[in-house]
Amino acid sequence: MSDDDDTDGPVPVGVKLGSTRTVIALPDGEGGLETIRTLTCLSTYEDQLTGEERVLYGDEAATEYPDRAQFMLRSGLPEDDDRAELTKKFFDALIEEHDVPEDSVVVYAIPTIDNEKGLANLESVIEESVVGEAGVQSYPESLCGSIPAIGDDLEAISEIFTAVNMGSTNLEASAYRRGEQLTPFATGAVTGNEVDRMIANNVEEETQGRVNIDKTTAREYKEDHADFVDFEPFTDVIQQPGGGSHEFTIERSVMDACNDYLDEVVDEIANSFLPDLANDYMKVYQLALDQPIVLTGGMACVPGIVEEFEERLSEELQREVTATAPDRPDLSATVGAQRIAAHLIESDSY
């Protein structure tokens, strides 16, 4: 990929509007990438001097207005007009604050969800923003996310492989044949959000009801401590309603939830997605399983999950399979989308 930031043409921008986090990637002016990452939420408030409505988004909104912050993409897409309008406000505020160039080619990653209204709303959020003046295109999230795992450029577009996106809102899987998506699969029954809920329930059970945590805290426990290789029990402190504090230790709650999640992922892939792929495209199925399965999405960030997935899926299928993941599975869809945007500019095909 050339140094697009050294040219006078449009800037290649990758975007993923996720249910938990939104990520934007663009050239940093020094031959590398600038990555903008924030929580996908916003809150509005009234300016006490002017009476005008102001918008806070991301971590700032979640911290300052936890009671009013809205995560408008909890289902993965802006499903109705109200959520679409909130998402537009969020995205517009994000790109304005970070000066994302208007003269840009934007490629955004889309989830594998059968929801025409939601997908149309997502498209309008991007296309009606000030960025993407030179062009806007979308590609499947799991394809975009696989690109950084398979090579330094766009080698994934020339390969036959399967990808599993372990997202907050859905578990997605697809086969890819030279960029063509085959047998897309998605379920909302196995999700990163469900892991957060299970951790919260487990903590209450493990502490005999003395500790109750919210899903945000549960997600932080998962992101900070989950580890299939070297998990270590950890302590935390909560403030008691009547004063004082209570220190407690978590030994099982986090990894019990993660192990249950991974078992369910393997079951869905082995017994739902792969049989459908074999029925639809037997040769692709055979070729794809000879290649590493690419794991992307937030849950793929848990240390050791790639190796555990390999072991459990191999046992379930009674054949050896391998898996891989990009260095940053939570950022890979945006990075892959940005590489596609750069290629579109280089080939003058936007």
Side-chain angles (χ1 to χ4, degrees):
M1 185 162 51
S2 64
D3 292 336
D4 302 280
D5 39 311
D6 294 333
T7 72
D8 294 327
V11 175
V13 176
V15 174
K16 179 200 167 187
L17 281 161
S19 58
T20 300
R21 288 188 173 89
T22 287
V23 186
I24 299 175
L26 67 161
D28 63 2
E30 299 177 356
L33 277 186
E34 175 188 358
T35 302
I36 302 161
R37 183 172 181 262
T38 189
L39 289 173
T40 308
C41 68
L42 98 167
S43 180
T44 58
Y45 68 97
E46 182 180 306
D47 188 310
Q48 295 302 308
L49 296 178
T50 66
E52 296 179 352
E53 182 184 74
R54 302 292 186 187
V55 175
L56 280 181
Y57 71 86
D59 302 83
E60 195 174 32
T63 300
E64 296 187 19
Y65 293 91
D67 54 329
R68 300 200 334 232
Q70 300 188 63
F71 285 79
M72 50 281 182
L73 299 179
R74 279 305 194 194
S75 67
L77 292 169
E79 294 185 329
D80 54 39
D81 292 341
D82 289 341
R83 288 183 177 88
E85 186 59 34
L86 288 172
T87 306
K88 287 178 183 178
K89 285 184 179 180
F90 162 80
F91 190 60
D92 288 346
L94 178 63
I95 60 181
E96 179 180 0
E97 177 166 339
H98 292 276
D99 294 322
V100 181
E102 295 180 19
D103 184 17
S104 53
V105 171
V106 172
V107 170
Y108 64 100
I110 58 171
T112 302
I113 301 176
D114 186 17
N115 182 335
E116 290 187 11
K117 174 67 172 175
L119 290 170
N121 284 340
L122 179 61
E123 180 181 5
S124 70
V125 167
I126 306 293
E127 292 196 343
E128 294 175 15
S129 71
V130 297
V131 297
E133 200 174 71
V136 174
Q137 293 195 32
S138 64
Y139 288 83
E141 181 178 336
S142 56
L143 175 62
C144 294
S146 299
I147 287 172
I150 291 179
D152 294 329
D153 197 5
L154 295 175
E155 291 89 343
I157 305 296
S158 301
E159 299 290 338
I160 294 175
F161 66 95
T162 55
V164 176
N165 183 34
M166 299 174 163
S168 296
T169 308
N170 287 287
L171 172 71
E172 302 173 4
S174 294
Y176 288 97
R177 179 175 57 192
R178 303 191 182 281
E180 177 189 8
Q181 187 178 34
L182 305 175
T183 318
F185 167 84
T187 176
V190 186
T191 70
N193 288 340
E194 180 64 13
V195 174
D196 301 341
R197 188 192 66 79
M198 287 191 290
I199 289 173
N201 290 341
N202 291 349
V203 167
E204 182 178 3
E205 182 178 339
E206 185 173 346
T207 61
Q208 288 81 50
R210 293 191 298 272
V211 176
N212 290 279
I213 61 172
D214 57 25
K215 288 183 181 179
T216 298
T217 303
R219 187 188 72 240
E220 291 170 354
Y221 283 1
K222 176 184 70 181
E223 293 177 350
D224 293 342
H225 300 285
D227 192 324
F228 281 96
V229 181
D230 294 315
F231 173 78
E232 294 183 1
F234 61 95
T235 59
D236 201 357
V237 178
I238 58 170
Q239 301 301 313
Q240 302 281 31
S245 61
H246 173 64
E247 182 176 284
F248 58 96
T249 299
I250 296 301
E251 296 184 352
R252 305 183 309 276
S253 298
V254 171
M255 291 314 298
D256 281 355
C258 289
N259 274 298
D260 288 346
Y261 166 83
L262 188 54
D263 282 341
E264 292 176 6
V265 168
V266 168
D267 180 65
E268 292 286 355
I269 298 304
N271 299 309
S272 294
F273 167 65
L274 287 176
D276 286 347
L277 177 61
N279 286 334
D280 295 342
Y281 303 96
M282 175 54 75
K283 194 60 180 178
V284 170
Y285 167 83
Q286 293 170 337
L287 292 171
L289 283 189
D290 287 336
Q291 303 298 321
I293 297 171
V294 181
L295 306 184
T296 65
M299 285 300 296
C301 294
V302 177
I305 197 169
V306 173
E307 294 76 15
E308 279 293 318
F309 176 84
E310 280 184 347
E311 182 178 333
R312 297 185 197 190
L313 185 59
S314 295
E315 183 177 347
E316 184 71 19
L317 296 178
Q318 297 186 335
R319 61 163 289 175
E320 185 176 351
V321 296
T322 60
T324 189
D327 290 338
R328 288 293 303 271
D330 54 333
L331 305 181
S332 62
T334 312
V335 171
Q338 196 276 338
R339 287 190 194 174
I340 294 173
H343 174 75
L344 295 176
I345 292 172
E346 290 169 0
S347 61
D348 198 25
S349 55
Y350 54 90

